[in-house]
Amino acid sequence: MTALKERAKFQLTEELGGIELLDATYYKQNFSRHSHAGYTVGVIDNGAQKFYRTGDNHIAPQHSIILVNADEVHNGCSASEGGWSYRAMYPLPAVFESISQELGLNKGAPYFPQAVVYDPHLAQVLRTTFTTLNTSKNTLLRESVLYSALVKLVVRHSKTSFDINLAQPNKSNVLLVKEFLDEYPAADVSLEKLATISGLSPCHLLRQFQRSFGLPPHTYQIQSRLRLAKKLIQQGHKMMDVALDSGFHDQSHLYRHFKRAMGVTPGVYSKALRANFVQ
């Protein structure tokens, strides 16, 4: 009988000062009691995990969220016959301190009282965040989804209650961001850079931009890039040049977004333009 193989893949993001990520599957692993300098925020993809935290043992089944505060002693082992798979991140307290300040709480990093959280919406947000960080090279998208996920976590599950209902957005602030994305669609700009341009915090920028223009900044950036791509195609540029000059990583990246937004591939669009020109 072939032994089941365990795996653990670590990576370090550059976003928000650097956050360690883990994607792992364990069968026989039995973690001794230990602690991390950062928080543990994880989603159980398969199986179940048993772990000690805050003086008690907890079971985290599939689709649940694991929360361990920074420097909090914990351990971990399988709670199911087939082991468990999970994805986790380890944000340092400084990341959450910054978010707390933006939300109007000046008491430092938040405390998460529950070791296991059942929140299907947030679990899906975290899964999307992990997938984006693993597959996308778009700085604005990566930073936006990561930041949004951590804000949602703090608002929904930290010990302190938050009221982040915002007043009507000041369009002059977010208009500066829209104008920047329109003028420099291919720029690999960060959320922090856009926040500086607007004079708003990242949290307020994300919410006010969405309320003002109906899309978050990273999605609007894609629309700006597609508008530039169409213009370059109309001018007869080669498709690889179109993709790179409009801010996409390669032709497949351009094709995927172009087809999703326009209903046809860039190639079909280009052929249609040539056909109309010939006529």
Side-chain angles (χ1 to χ4, degrees):
M1 183 176 177
T2 304
L4 296 173
K5 187 175 182 180
E6 299 187 333
R7 65 174 181 83
K9 177 185 177 183
F10 286 92
Q11 68 181 95
L12 184 67
T13 71
E14 296 181 358
E15 288 73 23
L16 305 186
I19 295 178
E20 189 177 83
L21 305 176
L22 170 65
D23 184 349
T25 296
Y26 295 120
Y27 299 99
K28 300 297 183 181
Q29 177 67 34
N30 193 338
F31 291 100
S32 61
R33 291 194 179 187
H34 63 283
S35 64
H36 301 287
Y39 291 74
T40 300
V41 180
V43 178
I44 303 293
D45 288 326
N46 292 290
Q49 180 184 5
K50 177 181 178 180
F51 66 102
Y52 168 90
R53 200 210 95 167
T54 56
D56 201 359
N57 289 313
H58 308 272
I59 301 293
Q62 186 180 24
H63 305 315
S64 64
I65 300 170
I66 293 174
L67 296 175
V68 180
N69 296 290
D71 294 320
E72 199 164 38
V73 175
H74 61 287
N75 62 9
C77 64
S78 179
S80 60
E81 185 176 342
W84 82 102
S85 297
Y86 70 115
R87 285 174 287 177
M89 67 174 78
Y90 303 89
L92 294 173
V95 174
F96 279 122
E97 287 173 5
S98 176
I99 290 173
S100 294
Q101 289 176 359
E102 291 184 22
L103 295 174
L105 180 68
N106 297 314
K107 297 181 180 179
Y111 177 79
F112 298 101
Q114 294 178 281
V116 179
V117 168
Y118 302 93
D119 185 336
H121 171 73
L122 181 59
Q124 185 56 47
V125 168
L126 289 170
R127 287 193 195 94
T128 299
T129 300
F130 289 127
T131 299
T132 300
L133 294 174
N134 189 49
T135 60
S136 176
K137 297 179 182 178
N138 185 310
T139 299
L140 180 57
L141 172 60
R142 289 167 58 89
E143 192 172 350
S144 295
V145 297
L146 177 58
Y147 192 87
S148 295
L150 294 180
V151 168
K152 282 185 172 70
L153 176 63
V154 171
V155 170
R156 295 164 78 104
H157 297 291
S158 70
K159 190 174 182 179
T160 303
S161 298
F162 292 92
D163 181 8
I164 56 173
N165 292 323
L166 302 179
Q168 287 299 315
N170 182 344
K171 280 203 172 185
S172 63
N173 293 91
V174 292
L175 186 59
L176 293 173
V177 173
K178 180 179 180 294
E179 290 173 346
F180 178 90
L181 295 175
D182 285 336
E183 187 171 357
Y184 304 103
D188 186 24
V189 63
S190 68
L191 177 63
E192 183 179 354
K193 172 66 175 178
L194 295 183
T196 300
I197 290 173
S198 68
L200 300 169
S201 70
C203 176
H204 284 67
L205 170 60
L206 286 173
R207 288 173 172 269
Q208 293 196 355
F209 195 97
Q210 172 88 41
R211 290 176 65 176
S212 294
F213 305 114
L215 297 171
H218 61 270
T219 304
Y220 186 84
Q221 181 189 57
I222 293 296
Q223 305 311 305
S224 295
R225 290 177 173 182
L226 288 173
R227 285 195 290 270
L228 175 57
K230 287 180 66 177
K231 186 180 298 184
L232 294 175
I233 292 172
Q234 291 165 8
Q235 294 171 355
H237 291 260
K238 294 180 179 179
M239 207 59 71
M240 176 58 76
D241 293 335
V242 171
L244 298 180
D245 291 347
S246 54
F248 295 96
H249 306 306
D250 51 33
Q251 284 182 251
S252 64
H253 190 210
L254 167 64
Y255 273 49
R256 184 168 67 253
H257 284 289
F258 199 100
K259 178 69 162 58
R260 188 181 301 167
M262 309 299 177
V264 297
T265 66
V268 170
Y269 178 73
S270 178
K271 288 179 182 178
L273 289 177
R274 291 200 298 271
N276 288 334
F277 181 76
V278 170
Q279 292 176 357

